Amino acid sequence: MNLKYTFLTIGLLLSVGLIGCSSSAENKGDGSGPDKITLDYAHYSPTSLVLKEKGFAEEAFEEEGTEIEYVLSQGSNKALEFLNSSSVDFGSTAGAAALMAKDNGSPIESVYLYSQPEWTALVSSKDSGIESVEDLKGKKVAATTGTDPYIFLVRALKEHGMSIDDIELVNLQHADGASSLNSGSVDAWAGLDPHMAREELGSDANLFYREPSFNTYGTLNVRSDFAEEHPEAVEKVIEAYEEARKWTEENPEEAAQILAEEANIDPEVAEIQMERNDFSQPIPGDDLKESINGAGKVLQEEEIIDADSDVEELTDELINPSFAENVIE
């Protein structure tokens, strides 16, 4: 599999998607802001689920009469597809996934951190005999390309003197990867919560390789054209997210219940996922840059990000803390 070709193809498709697509934000035409704002929500972002459940965004825009619409993202790759096609105005991704999209020309900015998670690890079934990264050589490994679990896999392999060419990569969406591991169709899986926590509890799956520092932050991204046209709306969305973040920190049990109901998982699974998230730092800053730069350089060495790209410059262009700094004291 020529992964560089695959990502270039995805980049071209996303670029084509930008042509002729109208924004999901419908302008009122009187300079007062958009008629409608479309936000994604994702099971890997508990804050977004609280936001949707509690109606904080609707409250923030009540005076303007702006309609709030929600779209489910099943992974960073889907959120980025929605952003590039203007199907959403705000999309939830991993930081490194947003960097890959930026390298492919995606006009987005990371304006808020919805969490610092340990949401991915390398997972094997209890009877697989796979207990180390080295055991993956020649094995079928499921991962969703363009997402943090895939990047985690690449970094884990490199850390152990291997590359993506040493395994048989099976590109599956996160839930399908979990199912394939459970059925034995793949030997291992680059997991993502809540699916990973569910397999850990329900089928005694083995999280055989964990490295929290290889998990990049959860970033809320906005389309650059939307941010330029509606800066006050961006700040209001961040205000709503702040309400959701603070509520989540103050009500962890109820937040876990919202996650369980929305993702259709057991409360115990939701509690494990919540415990793997740190919601204390919402402003994208130097720690985020360091995390993304580290992932970006590994991806560049693996020829997934173009060798001629300036990773640090891309990161600086991607991360825009100004909106969050204006909102958060």
Side-chain angles (χ1 to χ4, degrees), residues 283-324:
I283 299 176
D286 291 339
D287 289 344
L288 173 63
K289 288 184 178 181
E290 182 179 350
S291 176
I292 292 179
N293 280 330
K297 288 174 181 176
V298 170
L299 291 168
Q300 194 168 46
E301 291 170 7
E302 294 294 317
E303 299 183 349
I304 295 167
I305 287 180
D306 197 291
D308 295 329
S309 297
D310 186 326
V311 171
E312 292 187 2
E313 183 177 334
L314 279 173
T315 300
D316 287 339
E317 292 174 358
L318 173 67
I319 299 172
N320 182 355
S322 63
F323 294 107

Coordinates of all heavy atoms in Angstrom, one line a residue, residues 283-324:
I283 N -7.3 26.1 26.5 CA -6.7 27.1 25.5 C -5.6 26.4 24.8 O -4.6 25.8 25.4 CB -6.1 28.3 26.2 CG1 -7.3 29.1 26.9 CG2 -5.4 29.2 25.2 CD1 -6.8 30.3 27.7
P284 N -5.6 26.3 23.4 CA -4.5 25.7 22.7 C -3.3 26.5 22.8 O -3.3 27.7 22.4 CB -5.1 25.7 21.2 CG -6.1 26.7 21.2 CD -6.7 26.8 22.6
G285 N -2.2 25.9 23.3 CA -1.0 26.7 23.5 C 0.3 25.9 23.2 O 0.3 25.0 22.3
D286 N 1.4 26.2 23.9 CA 2.7 25.6 23.6 C 2.7 24.1 23.8 O 3.4 23.4 23.0 CB 3.7 26.2 24.5 CG 4.0 27.7 24.2 OD1 3.7 28.1 23.0 OD2 4.5 28.4 25.0
D287 N 2.0 23.6 24.8 CA 1.9 22.1 25.0 C 1.3 21.4 23.8 O 1.8 20.4 23.3 CB 1.1 21.7 26.3 CG 1.9 22.1 27.5 OD1 3.1 22.4 27.4 OD2 1.2 22.2 28.6
L288 N 0.3 22.0 23.2 CA -0.4 21.5 22.0 C 0.6 21.5 20.9 O 0.8 20.5 20.1 CB -1.6 22.2 21.7 CG -2.3 21.9 20.4 CD1 -2.8 20.4 20.4 CD2 -3.5 22.8 20.1
K289 N 1.3 22.6 20.7 CA 2.3 22.7 19.6 C 3.3 21.7 19.7 O 3.7 21.1 18.7 CB 2.9 24.1 19.6 CG 1.9 25.2 19.1 CD 2.7 26.6 19.1 CE 1.7 27.7 18.6 NZ 2.4 29.0 18.5
E290 N 3.9 21.5 20.9 CA 4.9 20.5 21.1 C 4.4 19.1 20.8 O 5.1 18.3 20.1 CB 5.4 20.5 22.6 CG 6.5 19.6 22.9 CD 7.0 19.7 24.3 OE1 6.6 20.6 25.0 OE2 7.8 18.8 24.7
S291 N 3.2 18.8 21.2 CA 2.6 17.5 20.9 C 2.4 17.2 19.4 O 2.8 16.2 18.9 CB 1.3 17.3 21.6 OG 0.7 16.1 21.3
I292 N 1.9 18.2 18.7 CA 1.6 18.1 17.3 C 2.9 18.1 16.5 O 3.1 17.3 15.5 CB 0.7 19.3 16.8 CG1 -0.7 19.1 17.4 CG2 0.6 19.3 15.3 CD1 -1.7 20.2 17.1
N293 N 3.9 18.9 16.9 CA 5.2 18.9 16.2 C 5.8 17.6 16.3 O 6.4 17.1 15.3 CB 6.1 20.0 16.8 CG 5.8 21.4 16.2 OD1 5.3 21.5 15.1 ND2 6.1 22.4 17.0
G294 N 5.8 16.9 17.5 CA 6.4 15.6 17.6 C 5.7 14.6 16.7 O 6.4 13.8 16.1
A295 N 4.4 14.6 16.7 CA 3.7 13.7 15.8 C 4.0 14.0 14.3 O 4.2 13.1 13.5 CB 2.2 13.8 16.0
G296 N 4.0 15.3 14.0 CA 4.2 15.7 12.6 C 5.6 15.3 12.1 O 5.7 14.9 10.9
K297 N 6.6 15.4 12.9 CA 7.9 15.0 12.4 C 8.1 13.5 12.2 O 8.7 13.1 11.2 CB 9.0 15.5 13.4 CG 9.1 17.0 13.4 CD 10.0 17.6 14.5 CE 10.1 19.1 14.4 NZ 10.9 19.7 15.5
V298 N 7.4 12.7 13.0 CA 7.4 11.3 12.8 C 6.6 11.0 11.5 O 7.1 10.2 10.7 CB 6.7 10.6 14.0 CG1 6.5 9.1 13.6 CG2 7.6 10.7 15.2
L299 N 5.5 11.6 11.2 CA 4.8 11.4 10.0 C 5.6 11.9 8.8 O 5.5 11.3 7.7 CB 3.4 12.2 10.1 CG 2.4 11.6 11.1 CD1 1.3 12.6 11.3 CD2 1.9 10.3 10.7
Q300 N 6.3 12.9 9.0 CA 7.2 13.3 7.8 C 8.3 12.3 7.5 O 8.6 12.0 6.4 CB 7.8 14.7 8.2 CG 8.4 15.4 7.0 CD 8.7 16.9 7.4 OE1 9.3 17.1 8.4 NE2 8.4 17.8 6.5
E301 N 8.9 11.8 8.6 CA 9.9 10.7 8.4 C 9.3 9.5 7.7 O 10.0 8.8 7.0 CB 10.5 10.4 9.7 CG 11.4 11.5 10.4 CD 11.8 11.2 11.8 OE1 11.5 10.0 12.2 OE2 12.4 12.0 12.4
E302 N 8.0 9.2 8.0 CA 7.4 8.1 7.3 C 6.8 8.4 6.0 O 6.1 7.6 5.4 CB 6.2 7.6 8.3 CG 6.7 7.0 9.6 CD 7.5 5.7 9.4 OE1 7.1 4.9 8.6 OE2 8.5 5.6 10.1
E303 N 7.1 9.7 5.5 CA 6.6 10.1 4.2 C 5.1 10.2 4.0 O 4.6 10.1 2.9 CB 7.2 9.3 3.1 CG 8.8 9.3 3.0 CD 9.3 8.5 1.9 OE1 8.6 7.7 1.2 OE2 10.5 8.6 1.7
I304 N 4.4 10.5 5.2 CA 3.0 10.7 5.1 C 2.7 12.2 5.0 O 1.8 12.6 4.3 CB 2.3 10.1 6.4 CG1 2.5 8.5 6.3 CG2 0.9 10.4 6.5 CD1 2.2 7.8 7.6
I305 N 3.5 13.0 5.7 CA 3.6 14.4 5.5 C 4.7 14.7 4.5 O 5.8 14.1 4.7 CB 3.7 15.2 6.8 CG1 2.4 15.1 7.6 CG2 4.1 16.6 6.6 CD1 2.4 15.8 8.9
D306 N 4.5 15.6 3.6 CA 5.5 15.9 2.6 C 6.8 16.3 3.2 O 6.9 17.1 4.1 CB 5.0 17.0 1.7 CG 5.7 17.1 0.3 OD1 6.9 17.5 0.4 OD2 5.1 16.8 -0.7
A307 N 7.9 15.8 2.6 CA 9.2 16.1 3.1 C 9.6 17.5 3.0 O 10.4 18.0 3.8 CB 10.3 15.2 2.4
D308 N 9.0 18.3 2.1 CA 9.3 19.7 1.9 C 8.4 20.6 2.8 O 8.7 21.8 2.9 CB 9.0 20.1 0.5 CG 10.0 19.4 -0.5 OD1 11.1 19.1 -0.1 OD2 9.6 19.2 -1.7
S309 N 7.5 20.0 3.5 CA 6.7 20.8 4.4 C 7.4 21.2 5.7 O 8.2 20.4 6.2 CB 5.4 20.0 4.9 OG 4.6 19.7 3.8
D310 N 7.2 22.4 6.1 CA 7.7 22.9 7.4 C 6.7 22.6 8.5 O 5.7 23.3 8.6 CB 8.0 24.4 7.3 CG 8.7 25.0 8.5 OD1 8.5 24.5 9.6 OD2 9.6 25.9 8.3
V311 N 7.0 21.6 9.2 CA 6.0 21.1 10.2 C 5.7 22.2 11.3 O 4.5 22.4 11.6 CB 6.5 19.8 10.9 CG1 5.6 19.5 12.1 CG2 6.5 18.7 9.9
E312 N 6.7 22.9 11.7 CA 6.5 23.9 12.8 C 5.7 25.1 12.2 O 4.9 25.6 12.9 CB 7.8 24.4 13.3 CG 8.6 23.3 14.1 CD 9.8 23.8 14.8 OE1 10.1 25.0 14.7 OE2 10.5 23.0 15.5
E313 N 6.0 25.4 11.0 CA 5.2 26.5 10.4 C 3.7 26.1 10.2 O 2.8 26.9 10.4 CB 5.8 26.9 9.0 CG 5.2 28.1 8.3 CD 5.8 28.5 7.0 OE1 7.1 28.2 6.9 OE2 5.1 29.0 6.2
L314 N 3.5 24.9 9.7 CA 2.2 24.4 9.6 C 1.4 24.4 10.9 O 0.3 24.8 11.0 CB 2.2 22.9 9.0 CG 2.3 22.7 7.6 CD1 2.5 21.2 7.3 CD2 1.1 23.2 6.8
T315 N 2.1 24.0 12.0 CA 1.5 24.0 13.3 C 1.1 25.4 13.7 O 0.0 25.6 14.3 CB 2.5 23.4 14.3 OG1 2.8 22.0 13.9 CG2 1.9 23.3 15.7
D316 N 2.0 26.3 13.5 CA 1.7 27.7 13.8 C 0.5 28.3 13.1 O -0.3 29.0 13.6 CB 3.0 28.6 13.6 CG 4.1 28.4 14.6 OD1 3.8 27.9 15.7 OD2 5.2 28.7 14.3
E317 N 0.4 27.8 11.8 CA -0.7 28.3 11.0 C -2.0 27.6 11.5 O -3.1 28.2 11.4 CB -0.5 27.9 9.5 CG 0.7 28.8 8.9 CD 1.0 28.3 7.5 OE1 0.3 27.3 7.0 OE2 1.8 28.9 6.8
L318 N -1.9 26.4 12.0 CA -3.1 25.7 12.4 C -3.7 26.2 13.7 O -4.9 26.3 13.8 CB -2.7 24.2 12.5 CG -3.8 23.3 13.1 CD1 -5.0 23.1 12.2 CD2 -3.2 21.9 13.4
I319 N -2.8 26.4 14.7 CA -3.2 26.7 16.0 C -3.5 28.2 16.2 O -2.6 29.0 16.0 CB -2.2 26.2 17.1 CG1 -2.0 24.7 16.9 CG2 -2.6 26.6 18.5 CD1 -0.9 24.1 17.8
N320 N -4.7 28.5 16.6 CA -5.1 29.9 16.8 C -5.7 30.1 18.1 O -6.9 29.9 18.3 CB -6.0 30.4 15.7 CG -6.4 31.9 15.8 OD1 -6.0 32.5 16.8 ND2 -7.1 32.4 14.9
P321 N -4.9 30.4 19.2 CA -5.5 30.5 20.5 C -6.2 31.8 20.8 O -6.8 32.0 21.9 CB -4.2 30.4 21.4 CG -3.2 31.1 20.6 CD -3.5 30.7 19.1
S322 N -6.2 32.8 19.9 CA -6.7 34.1 20.2 C -8.2 34.1 20.6 O -8.6 34.9 21.5 CB -6.5 35.0 19.0 OG -7.3 34.6 17.8
F323 N -9.0 33.3 19.9 CA -10.5 33.3 20.3 C -10.7 32.8 21.7 O -11.4 33.4 22.5 CB -11.2 32.5 19.3 CG -11.3 33.0 17.9 CD1 -10.5 32.4 16.9 CD2 -12.0 34.1 17.6 CE1 -10.5 32.8 15.6 CE2 -12.1 34.6 16.3 CZ -11.3 34.0 15.3
A324 N -10.0 31.7 22.1 CA -10.1 31.2 23.4 C -9.6 32.1 24.4 O -10.1 32.3 25.5 CB -9.5 29.8 23.5

